[in-house]
Amino acid sequence: AIQLTQSPSSLSASVGDRVTITCRASQGISSALAWYQQKPGKPPEVLIYDATSLEGGVSSRFSGSGYGTDFTLTISGLQPEDFATYYCQQFNSYPITFGQGTRLEIK
Amino acid sequence: QVQLVESGGGVVQPGRSLRLSCAASGFTFSSYPMHWVRQAPGKGLEWVTLISFDGNNKYYADSVKGRFTISRDNSKNTLYLQMKNLGGDDTAVYYCVRERSGWKLDSWGQGALVSVSS
């Protein structure tokens, strides 16, 4: 199975900051990667798909980049509602796998 | 709008079975692949299984292969997850999820809690 390793596992930042979360795949997955945001007690919501495409209705503060094994999620100008846990997920091969998550907290 | 409503969760003893259902509405259910994703308390997301739009293709995580079976009834707009020989590691919230083209899980149910305990 393809392993996805996210870093950091947790992150403290302030409103207005720019943050970057990375996701590294154990083997190449082309662009078959999505990013999700999850808030406590809620199901996840897709932010980015196909590595770089912004899901409809999602703020343009969020952007994704990468191809192959290294991917990033960038949030520009953090807003209070952005403090949550973020997961990457690969669709390149079965079994589908998620990263372990990155918890973004308010500093 | 898209709605996915899970049911059938609860407390079950180790070694027993349970079946989850997911009622879909607001979209053409028979056109979409569907997944189950679970989340143990305080833990991350774990993909469980996928079924193709027509039910002909199914994939499973190694952790549930041979114990869980995914199925669907497109005439009833319903997705199922039959779980057998449950253990403590299966305790989790189970989400029913729709897959859209572009490699994304774009619609999630609110989840059904399965608790395996004696």
Side-chain angles (χ1 to χ4, degrees):
Chain A
I2 295 175
Q3 292 187 346
L4 297 180
T5 303
Q6 289 183 232
S7 60
S9 296
S10 63
L11 175 62
S12 294
S14 301
V15 172
D17 284 353
R18 172 187 168 106
V19 299
T20 297
I21 299 169
T22 66
C23 179
R24 175 163 289 177
S26 59
Q27 63 189 76
I29 59 171
S30 67
S31 62
L33 187 105
W35 289 96
Y36 300 84
Q37 177 193 68
Q38 187 179 30
K39 297 181 179 179
K42 299 291 187 181
E45 295 182 354
V46 62
L47 301 172
I48 302 289
Y49 64 95
D50 200 17
T52 62
S53 298
L54 187 68
E55 174 70 350
V58 173
S59 171
S60 57
R61 298 193 303 277
F62 295 90
S63 63
S65 65
Y67 185 91
T69 59
D70 294 304
F71 301 86
T72 60
L73 172 71
T74 299
I75 313 171
S76 302
L78 274 173
Q79 296 299 302
E81 61 267 28
D82 299 336
F83 292 93
T85 300
Y86 294 85
Y87 296 92
C88 58
Q89 179 196 25
Q90 67 83 18
F91 280 88
N92 183 74
S93 64
Y94 300 111
I96 291 169
T97 47
F98 287 91
Q100 81 278 15
T102 295
R103 184 175 178 182
L104 177 56
E105 301 175 320
I106 300 175
K107 183 181 288 184
Chain B
Q1 74 280 21
V2 174
Q3 273 203 313
L4 298 168
V5 180
E6 302 93 340
S7 60
V11 180
V12 60
Q13 292 180 328
R16 302 300 291 263
S17 300
L18 199 66
R19 188 178 83 157
L20 300 180
S21 300
C22 171
S25 60
F27 66 103
T28 305
F29 178 71
S30 59
S31 296
Y32 292 87
M34 297 294 296
H35 300 244
W36 289 98
V37 175
R38 69 184 181 182
Q39 187 168 35
K43 303 297 184 181
L45 301 171
E46 180 186 14
W47 176 80
V48 176
T49 180
L50 153 69
I51 188 168
S52 59
F53 69 98
D54 57 4
N56 287 338
N57 295 291
K58 304 174 185 181
Y59 302 89
Y60 297 93
D62 290 343
S63 58
V64 306
K65 200 173 295 183
R67 299 189 300 121
F68 288 14
T69 302
I70 190 172
S71 62
R72 65 192 298 162
D73 186 337
N74 286 342
S75 68
K76 295 182 179 179
N77 292 341
T78 303
L79 177 71
Y80 301 101
L81 182 65
Q82 178 68 51
M83 303 181 289
K84 298 181 179 179
N85 192 22
L86 286 161
D89 288 348
D90 298 314
T91 293
V93 172
Y94 285 74
Y95 293 105
C96 166
V97 194
R98 183 181 79 168
E99 177 187 331
R100 282 194 66 183
S101 60
W103 295 309
K104 58 181 174 180
L105 302 181
D106 76 322
S107 297
W108 297 64
Q110 287 302 306
L113 177 61
V114 173
S115 180
V116 182
S117 173
S118 54

